[in-house]
Amino acid sequence: MGKNNIMNTYARFDVIFEKGFGSKVWDIEGKEYIDFVSGVAVNCLGHSHKAITKALSEQSENLIHISNLYWNTNQFKLAKKLVDLSDHDQVFFCNSGTEAVETGLKLARKYGKMKNNNKNTILYMKNSFHGRTLGALAVTGQEKYQKDFLPLMEGFDSVNFNDIEDLEKKINENTCAVIIEPIQGEGGIIKAEKAFLQKARELCNKFDALLIFDEVQCGIGRVGTLFAYQSFGVIPDVICMAKGLGGGFPIGAVIAKKKAAIAFVPGDHGCTFGGSPLACAVSLAVLEELVDKGIINKVNEKSKYFVDKLEELKCKYDVIESIQGIGLMLGIKVKKEPKNIVNKCFEKGLLLVGAGKDVVRILPPLNVLEEEIDKAVTILEEVLDNN
């Protein structure tokens, strides 16, 4: 089947999927699965949503790629929509979360350089994850992702997550940015404390540094607001996005306040495929479903329904330590390695994924049905009964 021709970068499950619709996928043998991984928070509308397939079909017959040497109408429309829905002013389009983070880091370095040549240090959080390129690795606070790629880029320093005292100690006049995930995804579904984010905003203002939120996983409706920052009441200068922004089609973006965005001038940064007519058409369709048609408005209601059922499991099974996360970015913290639970659920037709060392991560589509949540909980209970 050509498996040996693919680089060995993932410990994949022994399954080949060929079809998906809504919250369900089917493998080549016809077995049905409930997909609560959603492409790792990508398929916000589930699989093969009609709005996405329609946008792909219609736009691909008109114009797929033109390059950023020229303007295209869909890029105008998507940029305006993102700006209108946020507290920000300008957008840069790319293809992935890692690219969005790289853009944010470059923007921060250029912003600092405009102030003085020594203003180039970027602070990041321990236990964070920002991507796998060398720049993103330098701000990823987990040694397991970094150790085989040393030496890393210089000019970065780590801060204990949610530790105001440590942040106050590390930030100074040479800091050009602080990058934070409002909810640490790969690190274990750990939510930032509002007071910590407020202090980060205050200190960035004091030292004229950019506050960057990495919303690649927690953004685009995942926590019940279009942008995660809106759930915390703290406005960053720069937001890195991807995953759900395209609902399954590759697109990334960085939105920024004008004071940050003006640091870039022609030649500073670019992206060959970023903001193509096709990618933007799909993203516009996704945002119409999420925002204009109100899917986001029901996320917290569905979250409460789901969390209530998970809390019932917690009361019944000692292996569950806590239920964490917000919206439909949830985690079950367990007292043992989560891999066994994830594998057993997979065998029974429920796709989940681990996070950190002790969390089972749950990322259903944002339009998930209550009966699908019920079925997932039933499978989880069957697994916990025998675990």
Side-chain angles (χ1 to χ4, degrees):
M1 296 280 299
K3 292 180 182 179
N4 292 335
N5 301 119
I6 297 174
M7 285 193 186
N8 185 28
T9 57
Y10 282 88
R12 303 174 196 259
F13 287 88
D14 189 20
V15 65
I16 301 172
F17 289 118
E18 66 174 359
K19 183 174 68 172
F21 186 76
S23 296
K24 297 177 181 177
V25 287
W26 290 265
D27 65 21
I28 57 174
E29 296 177 350
K31 181 178 176 181
E32 179 183 293
Y33 299 76
I34 299 172
D35 183 2
F36 278 15
V37 176
S38 299
V40 193
V42 168
N43 302 323
C44 56
L45 299 178
H47 295 277
S48 302
H49 192 281
K50 288 183 179 179
I52 293 177
T53 58
K54 182 173 183 285
L56 283 167
S57 175
E58 291 181 355
Q59 185 59 46
S60 65
E61 291 179 354
N62 187 31
L63 186 66
I64 293 176
H65 176 74
I66 192 64
S67 101
N68 284 304
L69 295 173
Y70 318 99
W71 300 108
N72 78 75
T73 303
N74 288 344
Q75 195 175 106
F76 286 155
K77 291 179 179 178
L78 181 56
K80 185 177 189 309
K81 194 168 188 73
L82 290 171
V83 166
D84 288 347
L85 291 168
S86 70
D87 294 273
H88 299 75
D89 303 302
Q90 293 187 318
V91 186
F92 176 85
F93 290 111
C94 51
N95 307 290
S96 68
T98 293
E99 288 183 29
V101 168
E102 293 284 343
T103 300
L105 299 180
K106 282 186 68 176
L107 187 61
R109 281 277 173 85
K110 180 69 185 297
Y111 179 84
K113 192 174 183 64
M114 289 170 60
K115 308 297 177 178
N116 68 73
N117 284 332
N118 294 321
K119 194 174 183 65
N120 53 33
T121 300
I122 297 174
L123 301 181
Y124 65 94
M125 303 300 116
K126 291 180 181 176
N127 199 50
S128 62
F129 180 86
H130 294 289
R132 298 179 185 275
T133 54
L134 288 175
L137 273 180
V139 291
T140 289
Q142 298 187 60
E143 184 185 4
K144 66 180 181 180
Y145 294 114
Q146 299 175 326
K147 59 185 176 62
D148 291 332
F149 304 99
L150 299 174
L152 299 175
M153 293 171 57
E154 297 180 348
F156 302 91
D157 196 7
S158 65
V159 173
N160 295 323
F161 192 43
N162 284 326
D163 187 336
I164 290 176
E165 185 178 343
D166 195 37
L167 178 60
E168 289 177 321
K169 184 168 63 176
K170 300 287 180 58
I171 196 168
N172 57 46
E173 294 290 349
N174 290 331
T175 304
C176 64
V178 177
I179 184 167
I180 303 173
E181 296 165 277
I183 302 178
Q184 292 187 336
E186 301 295 327
I189 315 298
I190 303 168
K191 186 169 67 170
E193 295 172 3
K194 186 174 181 178
F196 180 75
L197 296 181
Q198 289 173 331
K199 179 56 71 171
R201 176 69 280 172
E202 177 189 321
L203 291 170
C204 283
N205 289 343
K206 178 181 178 180
F207 291 102
D208 195 11
L210 298 182
L211 179 59
I212 303 172
F213 278 7
D214 179 345
E215 297 197 8
V216 171
Q217 187 168 154
C218 63
I220 313 301
R222 181 69 36 194
V223 300
T225 50
L226 181 61
F227 301 100
Y229 80 85
Q230 293 163 333
S231 292
F232 292 86
V234 176
I235 302 172
D237 300 299
V238 179
I239 302 174
C240 305
M241 300 178 293
K243 289 190 182 287
L245 184 61
F249 194 89
I251 184 171
V254 172
I255 60 174
K257 290 279 196 180
K258 190 172 183 179
K259 76 165 192 175
I262 59 172
F264 275 167
V265 297
D268 280 343
H269 199 48
C271 182
T272 297
F273 297 104
S276 73
L278 185 58
C280 290
V282 173
S283 186
L284 283 164
V286 169
L287 290 177
E288 182 178 357
E289 295 295 317
L290 292 180
V291 179
D292 303 334
K293 295 186 179 180
I295 287 176
I296 285 178
N297 298 336
K298 298 179 181 178
V299 166
N300 286 329
E301 177 186 325
K302 291 178 180 181
S303 176
K304 184 180 186 309
Y305 182 83
F306 205 161
V307 169
D308 285 348
K309 290 185 172 293
L310 293 175
E311 289 288 355
E312 290 176 12
L313 293 183
K314 176 181 176 292
C315 292
K316 190 173 179 180
Y317 299 98
D318 289 340
V319 70
I320 298 178
E321 186 172 322
S322 63
I323 308 301
Q324 47 204 51
I326 57 175
L328 291 173
M329 185 175 181
L330 301 173
I332 304 173
K333 188 173 183 179
V334 292
K335 297 173 183 175
K336 57 173 65 178
E337 165 64 49
K339 185 176 181 180
N340 184 57
I341 294 174
V342 171
N343 288 344
K344 293 295 183 183
C345 285
F346 169 77
E347 291 171 8
K348 290 179 176 291
L350 172 62
L351 304 184
L352 301 172
V353 63
K357 62 181 180 180
D358 54 8
V359 172
V360 176
R361 187 171 16 164
I362 306 173
L363 302 164
L366 304 186
N367 54 355
V368 63
L369 303 175
E370 285 188 358
E371 52 261 43
E372 293 167 335
I373 293 174
D374 291 341
K375 188 172 180 180
V377 171
T378 297
I379 293 173
L380 259 171
E381 185 160 14
E382 291 172 0
V383 168
L384 293 171
D385 265 335
N386 297 287
N387 192 54

